[in-house]
Amino acid sequence: MLTLRDVHTFYGKSHILHGVSIDVNPGEVVGLLGRNGVGKSTTMRSIMGLTPPASGRLLWKGAPITGWRPDRVARAGIGYVPEDRRIFTDLTVAENLRIAARQLDGGLTERDLLELFPNLADMLQRPASAMSGGEQQMLAVARTLAANPSVVLLDEPSEGIAPLVIGKMREAVLAMKSRGVATLVSEQNVRFAAAIADRAVLIEQGRVVGQATRGELLTPSESVRRVLALGAATDGPRAAAPTI
């Protein structure tokens, strides 16, 4: 569904992505795992056209989208939840949901979204500026889903939010998967990634350095531990990864 091939992206003269190649198949959840500053967010911004690649190819359902404007990428069916959420704080919760809504046959309705995030149902008339960080994260995901995308890019969805909200994020991703929506999620919380991802792509210093199965996330392999700086495994059976 979504393909990156040999993508190189710069910020000014700084070379951030070095030949990144990733595939995301229909209905698949792919983790993009790495520490801070290794190029995860830049990968997503490159896909969305916010930081266009200098070279390489971006394909959407087999067709090239390299160089497309962000609005065209979004209308094509690619949803994006940035790390800083970017909700409209001067609008209410309901207005945030409705401004992004795109009705499709069999797609998610506002009622579906409120069932998925019941906390939002109790605050529809609340200004988004009055929400907690976790509530804003739920709203950001719900607003993206309101457009009924075919693939969603989630940038660090578990960072800085309470465990209860992380659980809601997990439910949201799995609900998307059940409807055939693919997800590319950047993370450094290996427990959260293991709970949602079918597999993971490992990234260091702007380069893809390996892949990991779900099993290698549940009981982190040496390559996962290295990329996320989890430290060496203990003697005997490897310990489960800590939440980071």
Side-chain angles (χ1 to χ4, degrees):
M1 178 170 282
L2 178 64
T3 300
L4 289 74
R5 283 290 175 271
D6 196 28
V7 169
H8 292 258
T9 301
F10 292 73
Y11 284 119
K13 294 183 178 179
S14 298
H15 195 171
I16 306 301
L17 299 185
H18 300 261
V20 168
S21 295
I22 299 172
D23 293 293
V24 182
N25 299 310
E28 185 179 36
V29 180
V30 178
L32 182 61
L33 298 190
R35 285 168 280 178
N36 282 332
V38 299
K40 302 190 304 297
S41 295
T42 302
T43 299
M44 298 199 166
R45 290 179 58 86
S46 297
I47 295 168
M48 292 304 301
L50 293 165
T51 308
S55 63
R57 293 188 300 154
L58 302 173
L59 301 175
W60 173 240
K61 299 180 180 179
I65 61 170
T66 312
W68 281 19
R69 298 187 314 271
D71 60 305
R72 188 179 179 191
V73 174
R75 284 198 300 269
I78 301 178
Y80 177 44
V81 183
E83 184 179 3
D84 56 1
R85 303 178 188 120
R86 295 296 180 95
I87 59 172
F88 298 108
T89 55
D90 55 339
L91 299 181
T92 66
V93 170
E95 288 168 338
N96 267 276
L97 294 176
R98 291 164 190 165
I99 200 170
R102 182 175 65 168
Q103 297 302 317
L104 296 177
D105 290 340
L108 289 167
T109 65
E110 183 173 307
R111 180 176 179 178
D112 294 327
L113 296 173
L114 296 179
E115 288 179 356
L116 186 58
F117 296 104
N119 289 3
L120 298 181
D122 298 327
M123 55 182 75
L124 285 175
Q125 301 310 313
R126 182 181 299 181
S129 59
M131 304 174 79
S132 69
E135 291 166 346
Q136 289 184 348
Q137 183 71 298
M138 287 190 286
L139 177 58
V141 174
R143 184 188 61 184
T144 298
L145 294 180
N148 279 295
S150 298
V151 64
V152 174
L153 313 179
L154 287 175
D155 195 0
E156 300 273 13
S158 73
E159 185 175 21
I161 60 175
L164 180 62
V165 180
I166 292 176
K168 287 295 180 184
M169 293 296 109
R170 175 183 176 275
E171 291 175 14
V173 173
L174 297 180
M176 288 189 285
K177 179 180 174 65
S178 71
R179 288 176 172 264
V181 177
T183 306
L184 177 63
V185 53
S186 78
E187 264 299 340
Q188 51 184 318
N189 182 333
V190 71
R191 282 194 177 184
F192 179 71
I196 60 172
D198 298 302
R199 60 184 175 88
V201 175
L202 309 180
I203 186 170
E204 282 187 302
Q205 298 180 338
R207 294 176 171 85
V208 172
V209 296
Q211 307 271 336
T213 65
R214 191 177 184 203
E216 290 172 323
L217 299 177
L218 289 167
T219 305
S221 64
E222 293 304 323
S223 59
V224 171
R225 288 182 172 276
R226 185 192 72 248
V227 165
L228 294 176
L230 295 179
T234 57
D235 292 336
R238 286 195 297 266
T243 300
I244 59 174

